[in-house]
């Protein structure tokens, strides 16, 4: 928490009570909340907060590399994850129940990045998610 707040301050962003509440919600919510779940949580301490404010804070934190937006392809919408240590990683996502798991390695090698850069781009980041069915959903399908 302090870590995230410090980074925001260092970059010259104001720490409003609503912003602080959004960060708290990210830290306190069950893993991988949706924007709506975050809104519900933030409303407990900041009843006037709007979904728009939640999204604006999420996109700021995303730009600063402190939040991961996980594209779920699920009707509940994308899920968010706070990266307290800024650690780069990827996810596996269940197409049926929307369950998300972190993959604690990056399957993209430097050689592959260099290959991508051979078309003239200077690559600064990438995102990659794996989609499929979790063990439980596989069982239930049988
Ligand atoms: Zn599943
Ligand atoms: Zn993760
Ligand atoms: Zn990676």
């Amino acid at each position: 928490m302090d870590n995230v707040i410090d980074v925001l301050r260092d970059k010259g962003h104001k720490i409003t009570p609503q912003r602080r509440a959004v960060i708290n919600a990210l830290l306190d919510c069950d893993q991988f909340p949706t924007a709506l779940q975050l809104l519900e949580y933030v409303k407990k301490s900041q009843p006037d907060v709007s979904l728009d404010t939640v999204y604006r804070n999420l996109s700021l934190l995303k730009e600063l590399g402190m939040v991961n937006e996980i594209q779920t392809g699920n009707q509940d919408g994308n899920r968010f994850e706070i990266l307290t240590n800024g650690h780069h990683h990827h996810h596996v996502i269940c197409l049926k129940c929307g369950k998300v798991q972190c993959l604690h390695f990056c399957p993209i090698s430097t050689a592959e990045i260099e290959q991508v850069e051979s078309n003239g781009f200077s690559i600064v980041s990438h995102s990659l998610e794996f989609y499929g069915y979790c063990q439980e959903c596989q069982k239930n399908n049988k």
Side-chain angles (χ1 to χ4, degrees):
M1 164 86 184
D2 289 345
N3 183 356
V4 177
I5 301 272
D6 284 349
V7 175
L8 282 168
R9 275 213 186 96
D10 280 358
K11 309 254 178 194
H13 297 285
K14 279 208 194 99
I15 310 299
T16 61
Q18 292 193 344
R19 176 157 293 159
R20 193 181 277 273
V22 171
I23 295 167
N24 269 332
L26 280 160
L27 290 164
D28 290 352
C29 271
D30 289 344
Q31 258 189 320
F32 317 118
T34 63
L36 279 177
Q37 283 169 339
L38 287 168
L39 177 66
E40 286 313 306
Y41 195 95
V42 173
K43 271 189 173 165
K44 288 185 206 165
S45 62
Q46 305 288 328
D48 298 334
V49 75
S50 64
L51 186 58
D52 201 50
T53 302
V54 171
Y55 272 121
R56 254 186 290 122
N57 279 290
L58 286 172
S59 64
L60 172 67
L61 291 166
K62 250 173 62 179
E63 267 170 50
L64 298 173
M66 287 185 289
V67 158
N68 244 347
E69 178 170 6
I70 305 165
Q71 318 271 341
T72 58
N74 189 284
Q75 58 185 14
D76 296 340
N78 290 346
R79 294 175 178 275
F80 296 88
E81 167 187 56
I82 194 151
L83 298 170
T84 36
N85 54 6
H87 180 59
H88 168 83
H89 65 280
H90 301 281
H91 299 94
V92 276
I93 298 142
C94 179
L95 287 167
K96 197 162 179 213
C97 68
K99 185 191 288 174
V100 177
Q101 265 175 20
C102 297
L103 278 184
H104 293 289
F105 66 95
C106 176
I108 309 280
S109 68
T110 337
E112 282 156 340
I113 301 276
E114 278 164 12
Q115 205 179 334
V116 175
E117 287 187 324
S118 70
N119 70 7
F121 267 84
S122 164
I123 302 301
V124 291
S125 75
H126 65 262
S127 75
L128 172 69
E129 317 291 11
F130 296 87
Y131 298 93
Y133 298 95
C134 73
Q135 259 179 346
E136 260 161 64
C137 291
Q138 288 176 55
K139 267 187 222 147
N140 296 340
N141 262 348
K142 277 175 194 160

